[in-house]
């Protein structure tokens, strides 16, 4: 296991380049199960979760090559299984994204039921409700979800009781094999859902309305393999905005898409950042001390839950009290106890965090508990006086491509060390 060690208190200055988005890559890779043929992906991030989805696809029979950095070629012509094993699914719950494509391609899927995780119970009942509405039968058997559509799938009207990102992706992919039209209501509008729909349309699918809360899929169209460039990671981008904000630094962030994270940009401007944006880049300068702001997380286009922990780290040193309400996950506050170890003054009241800004944080050893909590602790460590050691950074490596190297290039005194 590794740890990240930071000597805090240095202003960041310089440029960073954003990698491809984890949460766009995973559904796109799952979509290769929909039809045979070589799918070429470029701008693929070098992340643990990408290795996991590749291992899962290989397990199912896919042929995969990685000809050069950032390029992955997947061909599922040799698909030989419809079962996603417990060992693979337990390491990455997004493995459940293979359910929809396997159901569409093979008429069945057997996927280990993803358990909960640090941030919440994270059920998949709405994914299964969608498959069932199209005529599939789902049953739990020894911890596996068995999904079968012996009589094929038919179009349906499906309403998502709660906005679900991977639920929208999963059911949209299954609907490609349904006879007739399927309407999805109260869909996720995340850029990653729009990206997936764009890819499916280029494959030959008939999908309308992606990016709105109503998507209509007309199934039965022949599909073919395509070449796809993964969109930039808006959460990695937001994490660097937070790093500039907390250190009063100035960063030029390249290869990002400002339109994908407007709520984040607006919030950090409210905190006192100066942010200019252009085609594929933004420049952010942090204030001397951030102003306190309130944050409510909600599905896109609202402030993303995946940026809540990083924003809290910045607000921990703001001038005033901020109220953060996490409305998406019921337990996404694991970073609070660790931020307190750095001197943050945060009071919890149900789903609300009252963050009383302190003049400064002081370094300590802290423990990463989940992906975005680990990013939050890195951001806090950049400003904390003295040394901060963030342990269990395997969480970080699931979603950030060598973040310590990118931060070091902008002046941070940061290193990755073995954690004995
Ligand atoms: C996706 O997870 C992202 N992961 C998450 O990013 C992100 O936090 C989340 O969307 C919300 O934006 C990927 O895209 C791989 P949801 P997902 O289904 O799809 C409830 C990160 O840090 N729900 O949108 O699993 C659920 O419990 C990760 O990169 C049901 O009740 O999230 C939650 O409260 C973390 N039943 C809410 O909906 C269901 O069937 C939103 O979950 C499905 C979801």
């Amino acid at each position: 296991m590794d740890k990240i060690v930071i000597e805090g208190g240095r202003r960041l200055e310089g440029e960073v380049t954003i990698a491809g988005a984890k949460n766009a890559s995973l559904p796109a890779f799952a979509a290769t199960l929909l039809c045979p043929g070589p799918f070429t992906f470029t701008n693929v991030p070098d992340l643990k979760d990408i290795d996991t989805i590749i291992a899962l696809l290989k397990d199912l029979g896919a042929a995969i090559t990685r000809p050069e950095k950032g390029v992955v070629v997947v061909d599922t012509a040799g698909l030989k299984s419809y079962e996603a094993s417990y060992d693979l699914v337990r390491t990455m719950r997004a493995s459940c994204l293979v359910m929809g494509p396997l159901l569409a391609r093979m008429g069945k899927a057997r996927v280990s039921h993803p358990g909960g995780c640090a941030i919440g119970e994270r059920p998949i009942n709405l994914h299964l409700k969608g498959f069932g509405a199209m005529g599939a039968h789902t049953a739990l058997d020894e911890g596996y979800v068995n999904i079968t559509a012996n009589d094929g799938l038919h179009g349906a009207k499906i309403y998502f009781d709660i906005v679900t990102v991977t639920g929208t992706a999963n059911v949209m992919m299954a609907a490609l094999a349904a006879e007739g039209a399927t309407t999805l209501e109260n869909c996720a509008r995340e850029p990653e859902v729009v990206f997936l729909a764009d890819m499916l349309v280029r494959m030959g699918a008939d999908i309308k309305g992606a990016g709105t809360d109503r998507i209509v899929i007309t199934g039965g169209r022949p599909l073919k393999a395509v070449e796809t460039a993964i969109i930039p990671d808006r959460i990695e981008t937001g994490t660097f905005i937070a790093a500039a904000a907390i250190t009063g630094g100035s960063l030029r962030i390249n290869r990002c898409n400002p339109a994908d994270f407007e709520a984040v940009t607006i919030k950090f401007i409210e905190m006192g950042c100066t942010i200019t944006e252009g085609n594929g880049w933004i420049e952010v300068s942090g204030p001397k001390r951030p102003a306190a702001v309130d944050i409510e997380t909600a599905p896109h286009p609202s402030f993303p839950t995946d940026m809540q922990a990083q924003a809290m780290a910045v607000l921990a040193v703001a001038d005033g009290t901020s109220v953060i309400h996490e409305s998406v996950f019921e337990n996404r506050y694991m970073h609070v106890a660790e931020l307190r170890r750095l001197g943050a003054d945060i009071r919890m009241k149900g789903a609300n965090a009252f963050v009383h800004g302190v003049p400064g944080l002081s370094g300590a050893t802290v423990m990463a508990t989940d992906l975005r909590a680990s990013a939050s602790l890195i951001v806090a460590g950049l400003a904390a006086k003295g040394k901060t050691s963030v342990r269990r950074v395997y969480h970080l490596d699931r979603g950030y491509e060598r973040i310590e190297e990118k931060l070091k290039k902008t002046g941070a005194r940061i290193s990755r060390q073995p954690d004995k």
Side-chain angles (χ1 to χ4, degrees), residues 290-353:
V293 300
D294 293 345
I295 290 181
E296 175 88 24
T297 68
H300 194 77
S302 298
F303 192 90
T305 173
D306 290 353
M307 272 300 300
Q308 180 256 106
Q310 300 91 308
M312 185 185 285
V314 180
L315 295 172
V317 295
D319 182 9
T321 294
S322 307
V323 181
I324 295 178
H325 180 241
E326 169 56 57
S327 77
V328 177
F329 291 109
E330 69 272 24
N331 188 34
R332 199 169 205 169
Y333 284 125
M334 306 285 279
H335 43 285
V336 170
E338 298 304 306
L339 288 171
R340 285 191 187 121
R341 288 180 49 76
L342 298 173
D345 178 1
I346 303 166
R347 317 280 165 84
M348 294 306 302
K349 286 219 181 331
N352 290 308

Side-chain angles (χ1 to χ4, degrees), residues 48-126:
K48 189 88 190 64
D49 276 9
I50 298 297
D51 298 340
T52 302
I53 189 90
I54 285 176
L56 173 51
L57 290 171
K58 280 183 176 167
D59 215 29
L60 295 170
I64 298 182
T65 57
R66 305 181 80 163
E68 58 185 278
K69 182 177 178 326
V71 179
V72 180
V73 182
V74 184
D75 190 338
T76 64
L79 188 60
K80 62 180 186 331
S81 163
Y82 56 88
E83 178 166 327
S85 74
Y86 169 71
D87 282 340
L88 280 164
V89 176
R90 77 183 171 84
T91 54
M92 187 183 70
R93 55 174 297 97
S95 305
C96 69
L97 278 163
V98 302
M99 286 177 171
L102 283 173
L103 187 55
R105 174 87 173 268
M106 303 182 84
K108 55 190 172 186
R110 177 173 160 78
V111 177
S112 175
H113 194 293
C117 77
I119 64 176
E121 186 217 335
R122 301 186 74 183
I124 57 167
N125 59 311
L126 299 176

Side-chain angles (χ1 to χ4, degrees), residues 1-8 10 12 364 366 374 377-378 381-382 386-394 396-397 402-420:
M1 257 193 251
D2 287 345
K3 63 185 175 183
I4 299 273
V5 180
I6 308 166
E7 280 294 332
R10 300 167 66 88
L12 301 189
V366 288
S374 48
L377 296 170
I378 299 275
L382 290 170
K387 187 168 93 166
T388 296
S389 296
V390 181
R391 306 186 64 192
R392 293 191 184 165
V393 289
Y394 59 84
L396 192 72
D397 295 336
R402 291 181 296 285
I403 192 169
E404 73 277 7
E405 291 173 19
K406 294 186 179 182
L407 287 168
K408 194 181 292 181
K409 288 199 182 103
T410 65
R413 196 169 290 165
I414 184 171
S415 63
R416 177 184 291 258
Q417 298 172 15
D419 191 5
K420 298 192 197 31

